[in-house]
Amino acid sequence: MATDTSPRVLSVIPPMTQLNTPYPSTAYLTGFLRARGVDAVQDDLALKLVLRLLSPTGLDDIRARAEALPKKQRTPLVQGFIEHFSRYRATIAPTIAFLQDRDPTIAHRIASRTFLPEGPRFDALDAYVDPDDPDGGDPLAWAFGALGLHDRARHLATLYLNELADILRDAVDARFEFVRYAESLAMSQPSFEPLAAALAAPPTLVDDSLRALTLESVARHAPQVVLVSTPFPGSVYGAFRIAQAIKAAHPDIVTVLGGGFVNTELRELSEPRVFDYFDYVTLDDGERPLLALLEHLQGKRGRSRLVRTFVCDADTQGVRYINLVEPDIPFAEVGTPTWDGLPLNGYLSVLDMLNPMHRLWSDGRWNKLTVAHGCYWKKCSFCDVSLDYIGRYDSAPAALLVDRIEAIIAETGQTGFHFVDEAAPPKALRALAEELLRRGVAISWWGNIRFEKSFTPELCRLLADSGCIAVSGGLEVASDRLLKLMKKGVSVEQVARVTHAFTEAGVLVHAYLMYGFPTQTVHDTVDALEYVRQLFEAGCIQSGFFHRFACTVHSPVGMNPQEYGVELVPLPKVSFAKNDVGFIDPTGVDHDRLGKALNKALYNYMHGIGLDTDVRSWFADKVPRPRVARQFIARALQQD
């Protein structure tokens, strides 16, 4: 497709990403392309799909599918939906309006627990018991502490939406979820066959709705090129359904696949069937490959001069990777992201998990922005440090960052920012904070950091003064031996001092925790939980989450397993996605069984419960006594 002028480019967000705020990839690309004179627009088909399904007419369609099921195939949840349909239909629009902050007064009725129909999701509320009053009390008061009526209503409304998602799964599409939609079809899936079979199957109501929304967006914007950004495995199926709809109705439109999933898992792509849906697949930062592709479509450069792009060879039907080496666009020149064209008033602020940091992820609309490209540390052995989005560090002046912040506030009217760096550099954060304060720009912001010694009490107070409300960082296994093996560059004592400094400055601190790292023993796990208990007891951290370690092919562990004492499980032949890889750990520890105890303990610690209890009591099996002194963290803070 050669044109004299630059083609119109439509960037779309496929289902599913987040309900509360747009995923930022299309905002970045649209802002960059417009700055380069390209006619660029964007759309969020993920949000639009949810809003179409969760509407009175959408529920009508779900009921029709549910009633078409033989009675033997109806789950109790689906049967209850049919029997109480009038209540579901009457309450869906007010609930959506409430979660969009368009009708706050309905909170009184939602919080009363007499307005919304309640199914099995609400049974979990009965599991919350006031530890001081097991025979009564308000379960939500224990779960939420002193939060008010609005937050109670938001949590109840979120349970209601999750229950409708359960009904959708049971009656319409077993793969449906608000985030991990059909994730198993793509995540570390060596073969394209499962995804191909799903795409060839008769469309579900969800598929039909997404197809209609896709064609509506194409009709409205009339693009010549459609970019589909897939950040997660849970957005891949939706991305291919979007491309399928476009190719069937408008085969002349050029479709391009990119995003975090592609950059991580499709680096060895050799499956030609992918190109039945997408004309091009690009890797890593999209700016330079897209400029090259647009020039190619205009006839200004040959196909052999594309950058980091997979194509299908018309003669051999084989997949080719073309990469004319050209410098990436410097971070300072990528421009200001724009949310123009996205329905900013339509996002849903949900309150799902009773975890203060996870609440920031799902509640409220945040402008997502990057302080710097890549990670300034890029040494952690569990991280994909070999990939461009982490391994290539590039920064920008603080003045330019604040210029971007001011432009985004002027466009969106929103002053909340989530800095989405792998680890925001302390030097850059200091300069940013000073510039914000110098200009008198009032924002609220949060992001991910390393708990390194550069975050002094003075710097923590400065960041708080500039609007920092929360930070998250990796404590991981909370073992100095394993932290050294991980090449984290921090110690438990150092983490205690840094997190305490943030807490003293009034900043919420969330710790990323890990279990199941190579050579981690049961004793290591017990010690780690004791460190975590003391950190909560000392007020250093207020939130945390234990993740099960997963070995990836792009991490130092995956690339050099012998250095970590493990043996990788051979992978099958890969033509599609490649990321997670199994490994054999000679310790033979049942980490999944230990994980249940870790998460149970952590949940209670976040509510101030069990902090004076021996950590061994959380484990179902007998475990060794912790080797950590009971006052280790307290003494570390006194030394500081």
Side-chain angles (χ1 to χ4, degrees):
M1 182 186 73
T3 62
D4 293 332
T5 60
S6 176
R8 167 169 270 213
V9 177
L10 168 63
S11 300
V12 298
I13 303 172
M16 297 293 186
T17 50
Q18 285 181 260
L19 294 179
N20 65 306
T21 198
Y23 194 77
S25 56
T26 65
Y28 270 92
L29 289 175
T30 303
F32 169 77
L33 291 174
R34 288 184 181 180
R36 295 296 177 115
V38 177
D39 184 6
V41 291
Q42 60 186 325
D43 207 350
D44 189 342
L45 297 182
L47 176 68
K48 289 186 174 181
L49 177 63
V50 170
L51 295 181
R52 177 161 295 194
L53 293 170
L54 300 185
S55 66
T57 55
L59 295 194
D60 289 339
D61 293 334
I62 296 171
R63 179 177 68 165
R65 267 54 170 197
E67 290 178 336
L69 291 172
K71 287 192 175 181
K72 290 182 180 179
Q73 294 182 21
R74 297 178 190 171
T75 64
L77 181 60
V78 170
Q79 188 59 40
F81 171 71
I82 293 172
E83 293 172 1
H84 300 283
F85 178 74
S86 60
R87 284 193 67 195
Y88 281 99
R89 196 181 195 281
T91 52
I92 185 62
T95 302
I96 292 294
F98 169 68
L99 292 175
Q100 292 172 327
D101 292 324
R102 292 189 292 110
D103 187 8
T105 58
I106 198 71
H108 295 271
R109 296 196 66 191
I110 294 173
S112 71
R113 297 193 65 181
T114 60
F115 180 65
L116 299 177
E118 296 189 0
R121 284 274 182 174
F122 291 80
D123 294 343
L125 295 177
D126 299 330
Y128 300 134
V129 178
D130 184 341
D132 298 321
D133 183 16
D135 297 322
D138 178 2
L140 282 178
W142 181 79
F144 284 94
L147 296 186
L149 176 140
H150 193 81
D151 286 327
R152 292 165 180 252
R154 197 179 294 283
H155 182 58
L156 292 168
T158 303
L159 291 177
Y160 168 77
L161 292 197
N162 288 335
E163 193 147 271
L164 285 170
D166 295 339
I167 293 166
L168 262 165
R169 268 193 301 280
D170 287 355
V172 174
D173 188 337
R175 303 160 302 198
F176 184 83
E177 288 192 52
F178 285 137
V179 178
R180 295 181 174 88
Y181 178 35
E183 184 180 65
S184 63
L185 296 176
M187 185 171 64
S188 298
Q189 184 62 255
S191 169
F192 188 68
E193 196 58 44
L195 186 55
L199 293 167
T204 67
L205 170 64
V206 180
D207 297 329
D208 285 336
S209 300
L210 181 57
R211 177 183 177 276
L213 289 166
T214 299
L215 297 182
E216 288 171 14
S217 184
V218 168
R220 182 169 61 256
H221 295 295
Q224 285 82 50
V225 178
V226 175
L227 311 178
V228 187
S229 178
T230 52
F232 316 117
S235 61
V236 173
Y237 174 73
F240 274 81
R241 279 292 190 186
I242 289 169
Q244 183 182 55
I246 292 172
K247 285 301 179 188
H250 304 280
D252 56 317
I253 292 179
V254 174
T255 52
V256 187
L257 179 67
F261 168 81
V262 177
N263 301 339
T264 303
E265 305 213 17
L266 298 190
R267 305 194 75 86
E268 299 178 22
L269 178 65
S270 62
E271 173 57 72
R273 287 178 291 178
V274 168
F275 296 89
D276 295 337
Y277 305 87
F278 291 98
D279 298 293
Y280 303 93
V281 178
T282 66
L283 288 183
D284 299 327
D285 282 3
E287 289 86 356
R288 179 61 73 190
L290 286 176
L291 290 182
L293 177 57
L294 293 177
E295 287 183 3
H296 169 61
L297 296 176
Q298 292 175 270
K300 296 179 180 179
R301 82 163 58 197
R303 193 166 80 155
S304 63
R305 298 183 65 240
L306 292 175
V307 177
R308 295 197 303 271
T309 302
F310 287 102
V311 299
C312 188
D313 193 294
D315 296 327
T316 66
Q317 290 301 300
V319 177
R320 289 179 55 202
Y321 179 62
I322 305 172
N323 184 20
L324 177 68
V325 178
E326 293 185 2
D328 271 295
I329 306 298
F331 180 65
E333 298 177 17
V334 297
T336 302
T338 177
W339 281 263
D340 177 48
L342 297 179
L344 296 185
N345 294 326
Y347 290 91
L348 307 171
S349 289
V350 296
L351 184 48
D352 193 354
M353 300 184 70
L354 307 183
N355 176 308
M357 179 57 78
H358 289 167
R359 175 174 181 173
L360 288 178
W361 279 96
S362 62
D363 187 10
R365 207 201 68 73
W366 301 93
N367 298 308
K368 293 181 183 286
L369 195 64
T370 308
V371 175
H373 182 282
C375 179
Y376 70 100
W377 179 250
K378 56 188 174 189
K379 295 180 183 179
C380 297
S381 57
F382 55 83
C383 191
D384 291 342
V385 296
S386 65
L387 297 185
D388 178 80
Y389 81 97
I390 293 175
R392 181 171 58 85
Y393 179 70
D394 187 13
S395 61
L400 179 59
L401 292 175
V402 178
D403 287 345
R404 292 175 180 173
I405 287 171
E406 290 187 312
I408 291 168
I409 293 172
E411 178 185 271
T412 67
Q414 305 272 343
T415 60
F417 285 81
H418 174 199
F419 296 142
V420 293
D421 301 69
E422 295 299 308
K427 184 177 179 180
L429 287 179
R430 175 184 289 275
L432 177 64
E434 290 172 345
E435 185 68 11
L436 287 168
L437 292 169
R438 187 185 71 79
R439 295 195 198 182
V441 178
I443 65 171
S444 301
W445 64 267
W446 57 287
N448 199 46
I449 63 167
R450 290 179 62 247
F451 293 132
E452 63 163 82
K453 60 184 179 182
S454 299
F455 288 105
T456 62
E458 178 269 333
L459 178 55
C460 293
R461 289 191 295 270
L462 175 68
L463 298 182
D465 288 343
S466 76
C468 179
I469 59 171
V471 293
S472 57
L475 175 55
E476 316 309 351
V477 174
S479 155
D480 283 336
R481 177 184 76 84
L482 291 173
L483 286 172
K484 187 175 181 180
L485 185 62
M486 290 177 174
K487 300 179 182 175
K488 282 291 293 184
V490 300
S491 66
V492 176
E493 283 190 351
Q494 182 178 307
V495 169
R497 295 181 185 123
V498 171
T499 54
H500 188 260
F502 272 110
T503 298
E504 287 293 292
V507 176
L508 172 74
V509 181
H510 173 89
Y512 288 115
L513 302 161
M514 183 185 293
Y515 64 99
F517 192 76
T519 72
Q520 183 177 356
T521 65
V522 172
H523 217 155
D524 289 330
T525 302
V526 175
D527 289 347
L529 186 58
E530 173 61 19
Y531 281 127
V532 171
R533 182 196 68 79
Q534 291 186 30
L535 287 167
F536 272 99
E537 184 180 46
C540 295
I541 59 177
Q542 297 78 48
S543 175
F545 190 79
F546 270 105
H547 302 258
R548 177 75 156 87
F549 168 75
C551 182
T552 67
V553 295
H554 308 296
S555 69
V557 175
M559 293 187 292
N560 302 291
Q562 65 281 354
E563 293 184 16
Y564 302 89
V566 296
E567 179 184 347
L568 299 185
V569 176
L571 287 170
K573 183 180 179 181
V574 175
S575 61
F576 188 55
K578 180 181 179 181
N579 190 35
D580 291 0
V581 56
F583 64 94
I584 300 169
D585 190 331
T587 60
V589 175
D590 185 353
H591 293 292
D592 290 334
R593 187 169 176 83
L594 294 174
K596 295 177 182 177
L598 296 174
N599 283 300
K600 182 179 180 181
L602 190 62
Y603 182 86
N604 281 274
Y605 292 165
M606 284 191 290
H607 290 91
I609 299 169
L611 291 173
D612 55 353
T613 303
D614 190 316
V615 294
R616 291 175 292 176
S617 65
W618 299 108
F619 295 90
D621 301 320
K622 186 176 180 179
V623 295
R625 179 190 299 272
R627 294 166 291 195
V628 181
R630 290 280 290 186
Q631 300 300 317
F632 179 89
I633 297 298
R635 284 199 292 267
L637 296 177
Q638 288 173 354
Q639 291 169 4
D640 186 44

